[in-house]
Amino acid sequence: MTTRSVRSLSGALKPLFSPRSLQGYVVAVCHQTHKSTYTTIAPPARYGGRHTVTLIPGDGIGPELAKHVCELFRFCCVPVDFEVVNVDSTETSEDDINNAIMAIRRNGVALKGNIETNHNLPPSYKSRNSLLRTTLDLYASVMHCQSLPGVRTHHRNIDIITIRENTEGEYSSLEHENVPGVVESLKIITRTKSLRIADYAFRTAREKGRRRVTAVHKANIMKLGDGLFLECCKEVASGYPEITFDSMIVDNTTMQLVSRPQQFDVMIMPNLYGNVVSNVCAGLVGGPGLVPGANYGENYAVFETGTRNTGKSIANRNTANPTAMLLASCLLLDHLKLHGYASMIRKAILSTITDSRLHTADLGGKGSTSEMVQSIMDAIQSTGPRTQRH
Amino acid sequence: MNNAITAIRRNGVALKGNIETKHTLPASVRSRNNVLRTSLDLYANVMHCQSLPGVQTRHKNIDIMIIRENTEGEYSSLEHESVSGVVESLKIITRNNSLRIADYAFKLARERGRRRVTAVHKANIMKLGDGLFLQCCREVASGYPEITFDSMIVDNTTMQLVSKPQQFDVMVMPNLYGNVVSNVCAGLVGGPGLVPGANYGHVYAVFETATRNTGKSIAEKNIANPTAMLLASCLMLDHLKLNDYASVIRNAVLTTMNETRLHTADLGGQGTTSEVVQSVMRVIQSKGQFTAEL
């Protein structure tokens, strides 16, 4: 076994043997004793009633959207202070991303834009986003795709939660070229992580009152790998009798998604299928500018746009759709238990979206980012709560 | 299975339905379809998705050719469980196979007068593997200056497919992305019952429905849509250079498609398989071709 695969195996086995697990904090094998993430994570540090949240602007449209989020929060007097950490995607050293990770460990919560991954850099340069997710063990990527009123799409009444395993699978970055011209990529599926993500999915489904969980896989071809994933899902499903569990092969799933997406409720899947399926769902409800995404781990939570685009081609032109980033900041506020602020901002965003004159270019309109943000602030002001004038 | 493969080696061409793969059998039992494809080295899976006139879909004017590497990638069936509870699946990308499929794609694009080839990949994460695939595509593209070559990451591709599928022309990709993307495209033009697929190797050709469904739930009920299989048989006739017969049958199938009364359940109608086939035969007869009385 190569050293790289030994390291990967030890990395996979770490949750079983880490000191925290011995305290019973992370016991992924038996789902009945697993405590709910929602009740055992303490909300991040509050000093004087104000939360500190790490903000990573990223590349492309990230910085301008991050600015709008700060503006909006200041306007609404949200008790959140942002600690801005810049990650330079052109640097090959890992200092930047390590600083960011340390900041997130300190604060517990982060809002981030996507950091670009240059294809031309050598393969030893790992995707910064991927590094962040695996180091902080943000194992669940959750994306809630809902048809928004006011956005015209081919399909209506879509309400799908996609839960995607975020740390292993095809994204292990373990590749080697033993023979020139033949590349082997390793896709890792472990029992521990599959049980963990299945557990998360069923708990979330139960909490949100969802009726059905669908596992997406390709076990007819990848019998051992996706077979193990399916088996773990079935085990966890047996502990939740009120929720229907079924499975579907990924190609059939994508075909059903484009013809009848209303049949899906909660979907759970390994990393790569999760990537594809969540992008299909985002496209169905209106595009990358509308859907927020959240990455949850045992101790940390990072919020970003659902489809993780840098939007390089529309950067700095004031045409980006701020909805995804702003809804992600609402998810952040919900996580910090600041539900009042979250619902206020969310309502304002939804009322702005219904006004098609303000739609940005990706929705087929001619509005600009700043117009949309201004309209959201106006909507908040008109509903009455105390706001700060510029 | 070996008998089937020997028969195809003998004849050179085949028409097949999908063979079911039971998940519960041990992992050493490989998918029969997969075994067939790799033994005969049918390296290119070609699927032509076109919006059909009589079929109501949300998107119109789709005309995409999907060329998918058919023998390697994630479908190598090389998995092992060195440590209990940890499974490693190997995804293999080789220079030879990537050059071969890229070559096939560009040759086909040139023959059909296509303007643009898009490579679908995930090279930002799988730098070596998909990076090699992309590199091979670029090398081949340099030999076809009249064709525009670009590349797109698979997640962006699927998102664009569901919002603006008309932008795509020819797409070339490794095995797994090919599976997903071709199913998305099939769903966009009307579903699994409409699109035929072809698997080409240097020596052999096997034709089947594009989305390779067994359709177990609607078996023996006379409600399956025969269009995909019939159009696949037309592709086979074209391959055998029996172009006249192919166009006669194809025109008849397309004419029948326009009749919404005959649409089968998957298209939202109530027609049966036998009615559709009867109608196809009647159309052929009315055209005056030499037909055999039933």
Side-chain angles (χ1 to χ4, degrees):
Chain A
M1 215 185 289
T2 66
T3 40
R4 243 178 292 174
S5 47
V6 169
R7 244 183 282 139
S8 78
L9 289 174
S10 59
L13 294 171
K14 225 181 263 172
L16 274 180
F17 298 123
S18 73
R20 247 185 249 117
S21 80
L22 294 175
Q23 294 169 17
Y25 195 65
V26 175
V27 181
V29 179
C30 181
H31 62 266
Q32 281 94 354
T33 63
H34 192 114
K35 295 205 189 118
S36 158
T37 335
Y38 281 76
T39 54
T40 54
I41 287 189
R46 296 169 62 137
Y47 295 102
R50 297 185 67 83
H51 296 266
T52 313
V53 172
T54 309
L55 176 64
I56 303 173
D59 298 314
I61 52 176
E64 52 186 282
L65 292 180
K67 246 191 325 164
H68 286 301
V69 173
C70 292
E71 228 176 84
L72 188 63
F73 275 23
R74 207 172 32 231
F75 181 77
C76 304
C77 303
V78 177
V80 167
D81 292 318
F82 284 112
E83 181 189 347
V84 182
V85 184
N86 283 307
V87 176
D88 189 356
S89 57
T90 54
E91 282 273 316
T92 45
S93 87
E94 295 193 356
D95 289 341
D96 268 353
I97 192 70
N98 285 335
N99 287 340
I101 292 173
M102 227 170 12
I104 302 178
R105 282 194 210 274
R106 204 166 39 224
N107 297 323
V109 190
L111 183 67
K112 79 181 261 288
N114 203 40
I115 304 162
E116 193 189 341
T117 309
N118 199 338
H119 298 199
N120 302 320
L121 292 172
S124 49
Y125 174 88
K126 289 204 183 131
S127 155
R128 295 295 178 244
N129 305 300
S130 188
L131 207 53
L132 202 141
R133 289 191 292 266
T134 48
T135 320
L136 295 171
D137 202 23
L138 301 167
Y139 64 89
S141 170
V142 182
M143 202 166 99
H144 188 181
C145 297
Q146 272 176 304
S147 296
L148 293 178
V151 178
R152 283 200 57 206
T153 51
H154 294 287
H155 304 266
R156 309 219 171 291
N157 300 325
I158 298 177
D159 194 351
I160 305 175
I161 298 182
T162 61
I163 298 173
R164 158 190 177 189
E165 213 292 330
N166 218 3
T167 51
E168 59 169 16
E170 297 79 353
Y171 286 47
S172 355
S173 298
L174 293 163
E175 300 183 292
H176 48 267
E177 196 169 352
N178 288 332
V179 175
V182 178
V183 175
E184 294 185 341
S185 291
L186 286 163
K187 161 182 164 163
I188 318 276
I189 303 269
T190 56
R191 193 172 165 69
T192 332
K193 294 201 181 173
S194 306
L195 281 173
R196 192 169 63 163
I197 191 70
D199 202 33
Y200 184 89
F202 277 91
R203 257 183 300 128
T204 309
R206 177 175 269 176
E207 272 159 34
K208 307 237 176 145
R210 298 285 188 153
R211 298 261 62 93
R212 180 173 162 222
V213 174
T214 309
V216 179
H217 65 94
K218 190 83 188 157
N220 51 344
I221 301 286
M222 285 178 260
K223 293 176 193 291
L224 278 186
D226 287 349
L228 176 61
F229 181 80
L230 252 193
E231 209 185 276
C232 296
C233 291
K234 284 197 186 107
E235 274 183 43
V236 175
S238 57
Y240 292 81
E242 79 277 14
I243 299 178
T244 328
F245 171 73
D246 56 6
S247 64
M248 204 184 263
I249 300 185
V250 61
D251 49 16
N252 192 19
T253 309
T254 44
M255 192 155 56
Q256 299 283 336
L257 269 173
V258 295
S259 37
R260 267 200 320 130
Q262 294 82 4
Q263 58 180 303
F264 294 105
D265 193 359
V266 179
M267 300 169 82
I268 170 179
M269 49 213 136
N271 217 331
L272 184 68
Y273 313 144
N275 187 7
V276 171
V277 168
S278 52
N279 274 270
V280 173
C281 293
L284 291 173
V285 299
L290 292 179
V291 195
N295 304 286
Y296 295 105
E298 285 295 327
N299 301 312
Y300 311 109
V302 175
F303 300 89
E304 56 178 350
T305 62
T307 48
R308 304 176 179 166
N309 300 97
T310 46
K312 220 170 30 152
S313 53
I314 54 171
N316 298 322
R317 290 206 214 147
N318 204 16
T319 54
N321 194 334
T323 311
M325 197 52 133
L326 294 174
L327 286 175
S329 61
C330 292
L331 290 177
L332 168 73
L333 292 171
D334 274 325
H335 183 82
L336 296 173
K337 312 260 189 276
L338 295 168
H339 299 293
Y341 293 102
S343 33
M344 180 175 79
I345 298 178
R346 197 173 277 131
K347 254 196 276 238
I349 296 173
L350 291 177
S351 63
T352 308
I353 279 282
T354 47
D355 190 352
S356 52
R357 286 174 300 123
L358 288 168
H359 281 183
T360 44
D362 62 316
L363 295 173
K366 291 203 258 256
S368 68
T369 319
S370 32
E371 277 176 30
M372 274 203 77
V373 179
Q374 190 57 43
S375 156
I376 293 169
M377 292 200 272
D378 292 339
I380 292 174
Q381 191 153 47
S382 63
T383 55
R386 183 166 48 99
T387 52
Q388 197 173 50
R389 298 216 71 91
H390 287 278
Chain B
M1 195 66 226
N2 288 329
N3 288 340
I5 295 176
T6 318
I8 302 178
R9 285 194 209 275
R10 208 168 36 225
N11 297 320
V13 187
L15 184 67
K16 80 182 262 288
N18 204 40
I19 306 162
E20 194 189 345
T21 308
K22 276 192 86 69
H23 302 196
T24 48
L25 291 174
S28 49
V29 178
R30 284 178 64 180
S31 153
R32 293 287 176 252
N33 306 300
N34 198 5
V35 168
L36 199 142
R37 289 193 290 267
T38 48
S39 321
L40 296 172
D41 202 26
L42 300 168
Y43 64 90
N45 182 354
V46 181
M47 190 168 111
H48 188 183
C49 294
Q50 274 176 304
S51 297
L52 294 179
V55 179
Q56 260 260 48
T57 51
R58 292 188 182 84
H59 303 267
K60 313 244 169 278
N61 300 324
I62 298 177
D63 192 350
I64 305 175
M65 291 209 71
I66 298 173
I67 297 165
R68 162 189 173 189
E69 214 293 328
N70 218 3
T71 51
E72 58 172 17
E74 296 81 351
Y75 287 47
S76 358
S77 298
L78 293 164
E79 300 181 292
H80 50 267
E81 196 168 352
S82 316
V83 176
S84 135
V86 177
V87 174
E88 294 185 341
S89 289
L90 285 165
K91 160 182 165 162
I92 317 277
I93 303 270
T94 56
R95 194 172 163 70
N96 287 344
N97 286 348
S98 305
L99 282 174
R100 196 166 62 161
I101 193 68
D103 205 36
Y104 185 90
F106 278 91
K107 259 196 289 160
L108 194 66
R110 179 176 266 177
E111 268 164 42
R112 305 273 175 107
R114 297 284 190 158
R115 297 263 63 94
R116 180 172 160 225
V117 174
T118 309
V120 179
H121 65 96
K122 189 87 187 151
N124 50 343
I125 301 288
M126 283 177 261
K127 293 176 192 292
L128 279 187
D130 287 350
L132 176 60
F133 182 81
L134 252 192
Q135 210 187 3
C136 295
C137 290
R138 281 203 193 105
E139 276 182 40
V140 176
S142 58
Y144 292 79
E146 79 278 13
I147 299 177
T148 328
F149 171 72
D150 55 6
S151 63
M152 204 183 263
I153 300 186
V154 61
D155 47 17
N156 192 18
T157 309
T158 45
M159 192 155 54
Q160 300 282 338
L161 271 172
V162 295
S163 39
K164 263 203 315 139
Q166 295 79 5
Q167 59 178 302
F168 294 104
D169 193 359
V170 179
M171 301 168 81
V172 63
M173 52 209 128
N175 218 331
L176 184 68
Y177 313 144
N179 188 6
V180 172
V181 169
S182 53
N183 275 271
V184 173
C185 293
L188 291 173
V189 300
L194 292 179
V195 195
N199 304 287
Y200 296 106
H202 280 303
V203 194
Y204 310 107
V206 174
F207 300 89
E208 53 178 352
T209 64
T211 46
R212 303 175 177 167
N213 300 96
T214 46
K216 225 176 17 162
S217 53
I218 54 170
E220 318 275 358
K221 288 195 203 161
N222 202 20
I223 51 175
N225 194 335
T227 312
M229 199 52 134
L230 294 175
L231 287 176
S233 60
C234 293
L235 289 176
M236 181 182 74
L237 291 171
D238 276 324
H239 181 80
L240 295 173
K241 312 267 190 272
L242 295 169
N243 299 100
D244 296 332
Y245 291 102
S247 30
V248 162
I249 299 177
R250 194 173 282 129
N251 288 336
V253 172
L254 292 177
T255 319
T256 310
M257 264 295 117
N258 289 331
E259 295 253 9
T260 42
R261 289 174 300 116
L262 288 170
H263 280 185
T264 44
D266 62 318
L267 295 172
Q270 274 150 344
T272 64
T273 318
S274 34
E275 276 175 29
V276 177
V277 178
Q278 267 299 17
S279 156
V280 172
M281 291 198 273
R282 251 181 283 128
V283 171
I284 297 175
Q285 195 157 47
S286 66
K287 290 269 175 23
Q289 285 287 103
F290 177 71
T291 52
E293 288 295 330
L294 287 158

